[in-house]
């Protein structure tokens, strides 16, 4: 695909409750950290270059978390992009780290507040655009976790609130405390267990942010239908996977992440890739097989 197609704005827009309009194809800043999402990246200058290039290509929604590094992703975002202008920065609290690839939910209200205050400092803002509960802590009453997020919003420390890895019932429970602006669950061509959540979000004006969005599994390997379609469209399997998500629901806001400018540009090109009805249906049928 030519460089003229490198524009995230081609993905269309979505209005996030309490936050405003963003372009649907965003950027996930998990992979700008070290191996295992732990520590510093191999080259911090490259990481900052990826962030700046994303914004140059029309990305105005960047997703991160205090747990990425931990702390590293948020700091690099501030170093590369502050002041943010029209770019919305979403972060998450509620997961602590004990080592590479290790994640432990902690939803004690005092901890959620502490981490939010630290994120405000790291991102160099007075108000966080979108704060998401990274995981519901099963060892802390969920209403206590939801109530603390609502309090932070009421105090003006955050604009919009979201959830991650939740069921429809949990969204409804959180909605008793605050307007759920976004939900971030795993969802892609080969993993559609959250389809009921996608449908609920679309019906209720909630942005759905799929993590691991470009996974295509066997479908993307040579001989697979995604690979075949990619060849026909002069695209990559990752681009087809992202285009499929953008077509799947107007509420879906993919945030593919990478630590490489080359891969970033490849992903952004998916915003201009259109799948016709037959192609979209063929992919969906193969994914369900």
């Amino acid at each position: 695909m030519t460089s003229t197609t490198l524009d995230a704005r081609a993905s269309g827009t979505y209005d996030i409750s309490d936050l405003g309009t963003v372009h649907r194809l965003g950027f996930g800043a998990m992979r700008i950290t070290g191996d295992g999402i732990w520590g510093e990246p191999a080259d911090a200058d490259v990481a900052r270059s990826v962030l700046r290039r994303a914004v140059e290509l029309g990305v105005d929604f960047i997703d991160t978390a205090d747990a990425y590094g931990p702390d590293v992703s948020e700091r690099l975002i501030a170093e590369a992009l502050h002041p943010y202008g029209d770019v919305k920065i979403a972060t998450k609290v509620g997961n602590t780290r004990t080592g590479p690839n290790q994640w432990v939910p902690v939803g004690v209200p005092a901890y959620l507040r502490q981490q939010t205050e630290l994120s405000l400092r790291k991102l160099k803002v007075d108000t966080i655009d979108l704060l998401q509960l990274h995981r519901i802590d099963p060892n802390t009453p969920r209403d206590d976790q939801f109530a603390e997020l609502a309090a932070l919003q009421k105090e003006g420390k955050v604009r919009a609130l979201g959830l991650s890895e939740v069921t429809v019932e949990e969204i409804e429970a959180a909605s008793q405390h605050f307007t759920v602006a976004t939900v971030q669950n795993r969802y892609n061509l080969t993993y559609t267990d959250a389809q009921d959540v996608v449908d609920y979000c679309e019906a209720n004006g909630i942005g759905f942010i799929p993590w691991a969005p470009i996974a295509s599994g066997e479908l993307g390997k040579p001989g697979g239908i995604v690979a075949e379609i990619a060849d026909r469209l002069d695209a990559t399997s990752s681009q087809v996977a992202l285009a499929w998500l953008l077509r799947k629901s107007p509420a879906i806001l993919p945030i593919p992440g990478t630590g490489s400018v080359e891969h970033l540009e490849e992903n952004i090109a998916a915003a201009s890739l259109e799948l016709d009805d037959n192609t979209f249906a063929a992919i969906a049928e193969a994914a369900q097989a």
Side-chain angles (χ1 to χ4, degrees):
M1 303 178 76
T2 65
S3 60
T4 57
T5 64
L6 293 179
D7 192 343
R9 292 168 292 191
S11 63
T13 60
Y14 188 83
D15 293 330
I16 298 177
S17 296
D18 296 326
L19 183 58
T21 303
V22 299
H23 293 106
R24 292 178 61 204
L25 188 60
F27 178 76
M30 184 173 74
R31 298 291 175 186
I32 61 171
T33 61
D35 291 341
I37 323 303
W38 185 260
E40 300 291 333
D43 189 326
D45 287 337
V46 170
R48 287 186 285 265
S49 295
V50 170
L51 290 162
R52 295 187 184 108
R53 183 60 173 154
V55 173
E56 288 175 359
L57 296 178
V59 169
D60 61 2
F61 181 67
I62 294 176
D63 177 85
T64 184
D66 68 329
Y68 297 165
D71 304 325
V72 174
S73 178
E74 289 179 321
R75 191 196 75 237
L76 289 172
I77 287 170
E79 290 173 357
L81 300 177
H82 186 271
Y84 303 109
D86 295 331
V87 178
K88 308 292 195 305
I89 308 295
T91 193
K92 297 181 283 294
V93 294
N95 245 348
T96 192
R97 305 296 303 283
T98 55
N101 291 317
Q102 297 176 22
W103 309 78
V104 181
V106 177
V108 177
Y111 179 75
L112 297 179
R113 178 171 290 272
Q114 168 188 286
Q115 296 307 107
T116 300
E117 294 285 2
L118 290 173
S119 289
L120 285 164
R121 290 169 58 184
K122 285 175 287 181
L123 291 170
K124 300 181 180 181
V125 294
D126 295 324
T127 303
I128 292 170
D129 291 324
L130 171 62
L131 181 70
Q132 301 158 103
L133 183 60
H134 209 157
R135 293 293 186 273
I136 296 176
D137 178 1
N139 298 314
T140 301
R142 68 183 187 183
D143 283 339
D144 291 353
Q145 300 172 63
F146 299 153
E148 189 65 24
L149 294 182
L152 290 165
Q153 185 181 46
K154 186 175 182 180
E155 294 165 19
K157 296 183 186 297
V158 302
R159 292 189 175 86
L161 291 169
L163 304 167
S164 182
E165 280 307 305
V166 289
T167 64
V168 169
E169 189 275 332
E170 288 168 335
I171 299 171
E172 292 175 338
S175 297
Q176 300 302 309
H177 296 266
F178 56 82
T179 297
V180 178
T182 58
V183 167
Q184 188 168 159
N185 282 18
R186 181 184 177 193
Y187 186 84
N188 54 54
L189 271 176
T190 61
Y191 189 90
T192 58
D193 289 12
Q195 186 61 54
D196 61 330
V197 176
V198 175
D199 294 340
Y200 182 88
C201 287
E202 182 177 341
N204 290 274
I206 299 170
F208 182 87
I209 304 170
W211 62 267
I214 61 176
S216 56
E218 295 295 324
L219 303 180
K221 292 182 179 180
I225 188 170
V226 171
E228 292 176 355
I229 289 170
D231 287 342
R232 173 163 56 83
L233 298 177
D234 191 24
T236 67
S237 293
S238 295
Q239 289 166 348
V240 172
L242 288 168
W244 184 84
L245 284 172
L246 289 167
R247 167 107 190 234
K248 180 68 175 176
S249 168
I252 288 181
L253 311 173
I255 50 164
T258 178
S260 158
V261 171
E262 180 182 1
H263 289 158
L264 167 72
E265 293 178 347
E266 176 184 321
N267 291 337
I268 295 299
S272 301
L273 182 63
E274 296 184 9
L275 305 179
D276 61 33
D277 292 346
N278 290 336
T279 301
F280 177 76
I283 295 172
E285 182 179 354
Q288 295 172 0

